Each structure stands twice: as structure tokens, then as C-alpha cells.
């Protein structure tokens, strides 16, 4: 650090600490008289038993500061001192964090000491300038046959994984984390049941997957603020490694629970519920959070966001909003899962918007033919199942009847099975070539 920079740092130091006092607590919301602070700033609430509780400024009402704590409000009483820090939440990041499991504020989840060699990084970042984003021109092998062939993903693409409960979202996330050729995975488990966290890490992710992953956990019993910060922390960690030139996979399960947490905060500060009970701030934070990922001049963040769909309704507000922001979506179909097809990706309802840019024309024509075969079979499925269709009536339907079982068999993949993209494409094309011959 040169002399001028050091002098500037000294000049910018604020020698004063600013305090306020807790006035009242209403549910999860804390009202304080002072201190001077801005929205998003971290404050410390000093309890009567000499503990400090982290809280964040989420709004103002007249001359009162509205705060929400990262933990419970049990120890907070009227008159407790509120100390302003003059900065937003920062987390410690670095290469030595790879293979670790942390919470929303960046601390080790098991309570162990943080590894050395980390630097502080703010969780609030601006999305990259649109003109500085390079075009997506290269595929990233995921190691899942159905995705690598029919729904090819590009480096820096953002994908939504839409599904109801129990259709295999976590299993698919684990397969992508283990099999993908990305340099590092950042996995955010937002609003998960506490029981499922260890199951995901040990069963779905596994030892090999954890070796190149950082897992951020905010369970369902934690405050709404902690759940939201889990999403921001995971995104910030991804941005840090992207700026170092890494190819990063960000997997967030689920963005719906982030929206629900923001709804809780919005209602607490008095926002009016609008679309199906969601507050306007929900539809404000989703684009700003999702747009932070993607490609930059230095590296890329390929993002996968799971979206919970109530009653498998793909048109509910959060699903509709997220689908309009992202660069594609995979739909996990309950009917396919019930038939035992895993991963239960409905190819016809899913789309990768950048696929035409990253797949050569000949391969694209083959894949479009396969999609056409699946579509023709679906259109005539009822007639086929009840025996009303007579073989020879339509050549295209005959071909679809012949190829549909073989395509379905190809699309299935064991949880621990890894197939590289070139091999998967070759296997799929052999299905068509054999039928033609």
C-alpha cells in the first residue's frame, strides 16, 4: 500500500461510534431510536448480559430505525444499545474455504475455526454491466445425459429447475455438482429441513463432490433475514471466484424460499401484499439477485436455481417471474418420477435458450428430430394406449412408437453414473441411426 492510499484510508476513518436505543420489539421487527444508519447496514444490539446480536436495517418509520436480527430476539429488551457499523454484511472468502460448510454470515456451520488466508468480501454487489458481458458461446459438460444432449447448457447460463416436492431436485443438484466440469461449486441450501442438510452433503453430494464445493446453509427454522442472506452470501462467493477466473457452478435450492423470506420481511415493515400475498419488494430483489450471475470478462457463473411449484403449477407468480429472467428452464415431471424415470426431466416442457448458439447445426438438427418424435408420441399417446391406433396409418407415428422406449431408456441415468457429453451424443445418435437402417 503506497503512502497516498494509506493517507486516504486514514482520512476516511470515522473516529466516532454511533449508538441508538431499542424502543420496542414487534414480532421479528425491532424499532430503535437511532442510530444514524442506512438500509442494508449491519448494526450490533448490545444485550443486558453483554452479548452482541447482529441485526440489519431494513427500513424506517418516521424517525425510528427498523431492524431485523440475524438470530432470535429473545435476549433483546427495551433500552438495549444499538451500535451502527457503517457497512453492510461482509463474509470471509478464499480458496481455503473450498470443501467447507458455512452459514449465511460466513461462519463455519460446525462451529470450528475459520481457515486462514481468507479476505473480506461484501455480499451486496451490483450486476455486471450488460455491455461487459461476453456472449455465451461454449458448452459446459454437466455429466447428465438428458441435459448435455437435449438441453445443452453454456458457460455462464442461468437455469431454473422447476418441480414440486419430492420429484428429485436435490438428487439432480448432487449429480450436477459431482459430474460437471466446472472448477468449483457453490451450493446454497435455503430453507431446507435441518435433517436434509446432512443427507444432501453425505448422500447426494458425496465426498468427491464436497472436495470442490462450498456449501452455504440457512435452514427453515432460521430467521427470514438469514435465509435471504444465505442466497446473497452464496452469490457473493461465486462472484469472488468468477473474478479470479474460475468457471463456477452456483446451485441454489430454492429461490422460492428466498422469495418467501423476503415476503415475511416486506409484510413486517408494512408493505402491502399484492400478487398471491407476495409484496412488491419480492419482485424487486429477484432480478437484482439473479442478474448478478452469468459470464464476465474474467470467468463465469453457471447458475441453477430450483423453483418450488405449488401443485405443479408452473404459472404461479414466483415461477412466472423467475422463468422470465433466466436463460432457460428444466421441468421435473411428477408423472415421469412415478414411472421410475430419473432424472425426471420433461424434455418437451424444458428449454435451453442459448442452445442454438453453442451447438453445431448438424447436431441441432438431430436433436430437433428427437424432440419432434417425442412430441408426435405425446400427441397420439391416448390413441396408442387404448389401442385405437393401427400400425401403418401414419409413418411418423409408427417411428415414434418404435423409438420412444429407446429414447426414454437413454434419458434415464443412475445417481452415481457419469457419462461425458461426447459419449452421450454418440449413444443418442445411434438410437436414430439404427431405426433408420
Amino acid at each position: 500500500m503506497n503512502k497516498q492510499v494509506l493517507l486516504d484510508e486514514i482520512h476516511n476513518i470515522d473516529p466516532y461510534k454511533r449508538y441508538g436505543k431499542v424502543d420496542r420489539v414487534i414480532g421479528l421487527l425491532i424499532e430503535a431510536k437511532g442510530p444514524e444508519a442506512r438500509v442494508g447496514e449491519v448494526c450490533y444490539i448490545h444485550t443486558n448480559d453483554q452479548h452482541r446480536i447482529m441485526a440489519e436495517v431494513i427500513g424506517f418509520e418516521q424517525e425510528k430505525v427498523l431492524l431485523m436480527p440475524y438470530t432470535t430476539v429473545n435476549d433483546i429488551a427495551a433500552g438495549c444499545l444499538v451500535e451502527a457499523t457503517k457497512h453492510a454484511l461482509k463474509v470471509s472468502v478464499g480458496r481455503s474455504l473450498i470443501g467447507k460448510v458455512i452459514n449465511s454470515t460466513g461462519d463455519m456451520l460446525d462451529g470450528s475455526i475459520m481457515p486462514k488466508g481468507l479476505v473480506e468480501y461484501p455480499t451486496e454487489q451490483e450486476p455486471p454491466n450488460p455491455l461487459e458481458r461476453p456472449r455465451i458461446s461454449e458448452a459446459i459438460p454437466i455429466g447428465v445425459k438428458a441435459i448435455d444432449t437435449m438441453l445443452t447448457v453454456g458457460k455462464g447460463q442461468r437455469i431454473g429447475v422447476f418441480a414440486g416436492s419430492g420429484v428429485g431436485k436435490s438428487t439432480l443438484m448432487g449429480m450436477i455438482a459431482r459430474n460437471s466440469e466446472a472448477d468449483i461449486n457453490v451450493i446454497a441450501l435455503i430453507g431446507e429441513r435441518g435433517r436434509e442438510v446432512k443427507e444432501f452433503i453425505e448422500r447426494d453430494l458425496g465426498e468427491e463432490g464436497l472436495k470442490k464445493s462450498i456449501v452455504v446453509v440457512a435452514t427453515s427454522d432460521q430467521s427470514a433475514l438469514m435465509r435471504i442472506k444465505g442466497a446473497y452470501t452464496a452469490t457473493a462467493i461465486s462472484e469472488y471466484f468468477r473474478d479470479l477466473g474460475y468457471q463456477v457452478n452456483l446451485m441454489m435450492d430454492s429461490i422460492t424460499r428466498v422469495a418467501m423470506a423476503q415476503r415475511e420481511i416486506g409484510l413486517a415493515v408494512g408493505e402491502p401484499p399484492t400478487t398471491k400475498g407476495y409484496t412488491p419488494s419480492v419482485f424487486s430483489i429477484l432480478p437484482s439477485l439473479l442478474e448478478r450471475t452469468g459470464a464476465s470478462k474474467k470467468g463465469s457463473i453457471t447458475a441453477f436455481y430450483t423453483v418450488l411449484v405449488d401443485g405443479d403449477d408452473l404459472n404461479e407468480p414466483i415461477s412466472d417471474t423467475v422463468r422470465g429472467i433466466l436463460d432457460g428452464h428444466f421441468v421435473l415431471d411428477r408423472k415421469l418420477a412415478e414411472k421410475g424415470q430419473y432424472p425426471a426431466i420433461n424434455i418437451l416442457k424444458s428449454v435451453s435458450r442459448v442452445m442454438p448458439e453453442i451447438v453445431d447445426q448438424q447436431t441441432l438438427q438431430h436433436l430437433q428430430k428427437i424432440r419432434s418424435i417425442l412430441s408426435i408420441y405425446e400427441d397420439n399417446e391416448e390413441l396408442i394406449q387404448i389401442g385405437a391406433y393401427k400400425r401403418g396409418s401414419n409413418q411418423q407415428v409408427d417411428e415414434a412408437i418404435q423409438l420412444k422406449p429407446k429414447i426414454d431408456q437413454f434419458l434415464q441415468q443412475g445417481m452415481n453414473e457419469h457419462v461425458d457429453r461426447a459419449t452421450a451424443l454418440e449413444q443418442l445418435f445411434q438410437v436414430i441411426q439404427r431405426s433408420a437402417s
Side-chain angles (χ1 to χ4, degrees):
M1 186 179 292
N2 61 46
K3 183 178 178 180
Q4 186 57 47
V5 173
L6 187 59
L7 289 171
D8 290 341
E9 289 289 332
I10 295 171
H11 179 73
N12 292 329
I13 291 174
D14 187 352
Y16 296 99
K17 285 190 176 181
R18 291 168 172 79
Y19 292 94
K21 280 190 177 182
V22 172
D23 188 45
R24 63 174 181 165
V25 178
I26 309 169
L28 300 175
L29 198 64
I30 300 167
E31 287 187 5
K33 293 179 179 178
E36 181 187 328
R38 62 183 184 275
V39 173
E41 184 174 327
V42 173
C43 293
Y44 290 113
I45 300 173
H46 297 263
T47 64
N48 294 331
D49 54 1
Q50 307 303 313
H51 284 118
R52 293 195 315 177
I53 295 177
M54 286 179 66
E56 185 172 305
V57 179
I58 60 171
F60 306 96
E61 185 175 349
Q62 296 179 357
E63 295 183 2
K64 291 181 180 179
V65 179
L66 305 180
L67 302 110
M68 188 168 283
Y70 288 98
T71 54
T72 59
V73 297
N74 296 341
D75 297 329
I76 300 172
C80 287
L81 283 178
V82 181
E83 178 189 347
T85 63
K86 292 298 179 186
H87 62 74
L89 180 67
K90 294 182 179 181
V91 292
S92 299
V93 296
R95 292 183 180 89
S96 55
L97 206 60
I98 299 172
K100 307 295 183 184
V101 183
I102 63 175
N103 65 15
S104 299
T105 55
D107 299 317
M108 301 297 293
L109 195 63
D110 59 5
S112 60
I113 299 171
M114 293 292 290
K116 296 180 180 179
L118 303 179
V119 296
E120 283 197 334
Y121 195 79
T123 58
E124 299 277 353
Q125 298 283 343
E126 290 294 322
N129 187 310
L131 295 179
E132 293 180 358
R133 287 183 185 269
R135 292 179 62 181
I136 298 172
S137 58
E138 184 180 354
I140 179 168
I142 299 298
V144 179
K145 291 190 291 184
I147 297 174
D148 281 338
T149 54
M150 301 300 298
L151 300 162
T152 310
V153 175
K155 289 182 179 178
Q157 188 173 354
R158 301 160 305 158
I159 293 289
V161 181
F162 293 74
S165 57
V167 190
K169 296 185 302 296
S170 297
T171 303
L172 181 60
M173 293 288 106
M175 289 177 69
I176 294 172
R178 291 193 310 275
N179 299 341
S180 170
E181 293 188 9
D183 301 320
I184 181 173
N185 302 308
V186 180
I187 304 170
L189 303 178
I190 310 298
E192 287 286 341
R193 303 176 188 91
R195 171 185 61 82
E196 293 180 335
V197 172
K198 196 167 185 180
E199 282 184 8
F200 175 83
I201 293 171
E202 294 182 354
R203 183 193 64 191
D204 298 328
L205 187 58
E207 187 178 347
E208 287 302 311
L210 186 59
K211 282 181 181 178
K212 65 170 189 175
S213 302
I214 299 170
V215 183
V216 182
V217 176
T219 51
S220 58
D221 61 303
Q222 292 182 301
S223 69
L225 192 58
M226 282 291 274
R227 279 175 271 148
I228 286 181
K229 289 303 169 185
Y232 278 82
T233 295
T235 305
I237 292 171
S238 303
E239 289 169 320
Y240 170 81
F241 284 102
R242 176 180 65 185
D243 292 344
L244 292 180
Y246 284 77
Q247 308 299 327
V248 184
N249 270 355
L250 170 63
M251 284 166 276
M252 191 174 295
D253 185 13
S254 71
I255 195 66
T256 307
R257 295 194 181 107
V258 175
M260 290 177 175
Q262 180 59 35
R263 177 174 62 183
E264 287 182 43
I265 293 175
L267 292 173
V269 298
E271 281 190 75
T274 52
T275 312
K276 287 197 174 180
Y278 287 100
T279 56
S281 61
V282 173
F283 303 101
S284 172
I285 71 155
L286 284 175
S288 63
L289 178 63
L290 301 178
E291 284 291 346
R292 287 170 58 178
T293 57
S296 73
K297 293 179 179 179
K298 298 175 182 177
S300 69
I301 301 173
T302 306
F304 299 87
Y305 300 96
T306 67
V307 184
L308 292 170
V309 287
D310 294 333
D312 297 331
D313 177 16
L314 296 176
N315 295 316
E316 59 94 26
I318 300 304
S319 301
D320 204 38
T321 301
V322 171
R323 188 168 58 244
I325 298 168
L326 299 178
D327 308 316
H329 55 272
F330 303 158
V331 177
L332 301 188
D333 196 321
R334 192 175 298 279
K335 290 182 180 179
L336 294 179
E338 289 169 351
K339 291 178 183 177
Q341 180 173 320
Y342 287 98
I345 301 174
N346 188 319
I347 301 297
L348 294 178
K349 290 183 179 178
S350 305
V351 65
S352 171
R353 292 181 183 172
V354 304
M355 189 172 170
E357 304 292 327
I358 58 177
V359 175
D360 65 81
Q361 197 61 35
Q362 185 177 4
T363 302
L364 202 60
Q365 288 174 356
H366 286 309
L367 298 177
Q368 286 172 343
K369 180 181 179 181
I370 294 169
R371 188 177 279 267
S372 174
I373 289 168
L374 294 174
S375 179
I376 291 168
Y377 186 90
E378 187 178 271
D379 291 343
N380 296 274
E381 187 172 10
E382 287 187 12
L383 292 175
I384 296 167
Q385 294 297 331
I386 63 175
Y389 174 77
K390 292 183 180 181
R391 293 285 182 103
S393 302
N394 187 303
Q395 186 178 352
Q396 289 182 325
V397 178
D398 290 343
E399 185 183 29
I401 293 171
Q402 179 189 356
L403 289 178
K404 178 67 162 58
K406 297 176 182 178
I407 295 172
D408 286 346
Q409 185 179 3
F410 165 81
L411 294 175
Q412 294 185 49
Q413 185 170 340
M415 179 179 166
N416 297 309
E417 183 185 354
H418 175 260
V419 182
D420 65 79
R421 182 168 180 265
T423 303
L425 284 168
E426 185 179 346
Q427 290 175 358
L428 184 57
F429 295 156
Q430 282 177 358
V431 172
I432 303 176
Q433 289 167 358
R434 284 172 186 167
S435 70
S437 59

